[in-house]
Each structure stands twice: as structure tokens, then as C-alpha cells.
Amino acid sequence: MSRIFRLAIDEDTLTDELFAFVRDPRSTRYERRVVKELRAIAPGMIPVMEMMILDGVQERRHVYDYVHAIFGDGVDADVYYAT
């Protein structure tokens, strides 16, 4: 199967945006752009962020560790068209 799209993820920016989501005490956190984009690309990440909220995550490094575990080094994700 040939590659149609190649997504580039900025690991640091994604970490910053997700950490801001986790630390935001307002219910409007779900209106953040990162949440809207993740719902389309990686909806499974949102429940993990919700668990970090419940766990009381206070350090950015915990969010970074998760982002890095998902996307790894290089952080390029290949998207293939399935027929």
C-alpha cells in the first residue's frame, strides 16, 4: 500500500497544548483547538488526558512522556489509504 499522507507532529507544541488542557480547571478546556484536532486524528488520547486530570498531574514531563511514547522519535506518522 502506498503512502498518501505524511503527518508531522510537533512533539513540544503538542505537549504544551495538552499540558495546558490538563491544568485548565474550566469546563471550557474542551473547546481548545488541540482537543478539536485530536478528536479527528487521535481520539484515544483525550481519555488519557482526562485520566491525567483526575490523577492531578502537575508536571509537564508526565504529559511529554505520554506524547513521546505515542509518537516516539522523529514523530512522523504515516497515514495509509485502505481499500
Side-chain angles (χ1 to χ4, degrees):
M1 199 174 332
S2 64
R3 181 179 1 179
I4 294 178
F5 299 103
R6 184 169 197 82
L7 300 176
I9 310 296
D10 182 334
E11 195 171 342
D12 287 327
T13 301
L14 179 58
T15 298
D16 290 342
E17 291 296 321
L18 290 176
F19 184 61
F21 169 80
V22 168
R23 299 296 301 143
D24 187 347
R26 301 167 298 166
S27 62
T28 57
R29 76 172 81 141
Y30 289 95
E31 295 172 17
R32 291 176 172 273
R33 181 177 166 198
V34 68
V35 173
K36 293 174 184 177
E37 291 184 14
L38 281 177
R39 283 188 176 137
I41 301 170
M45 289 185 76
I46 296 169
V48 175
M49 293 298 103
E50 292 170 334
M51 291 307 299
M52 287 188 181
I53 293 167
L54 293 175
D55 289 342
V57 168
Q58 305 246 349
E59 296 180 31
R60 181 186 181 276
R61 69 180 175 89
H62 296 295
V63 176
Y64 171 80
D65 289 344
Y66 174 65
V67 169
H68 188 72
I70 296 299
F71 295 108
D73 292 322
V75 203
D76 284 333
D78 293 330
V79 178
Y80 294 94
Y81 176 74
T83 56

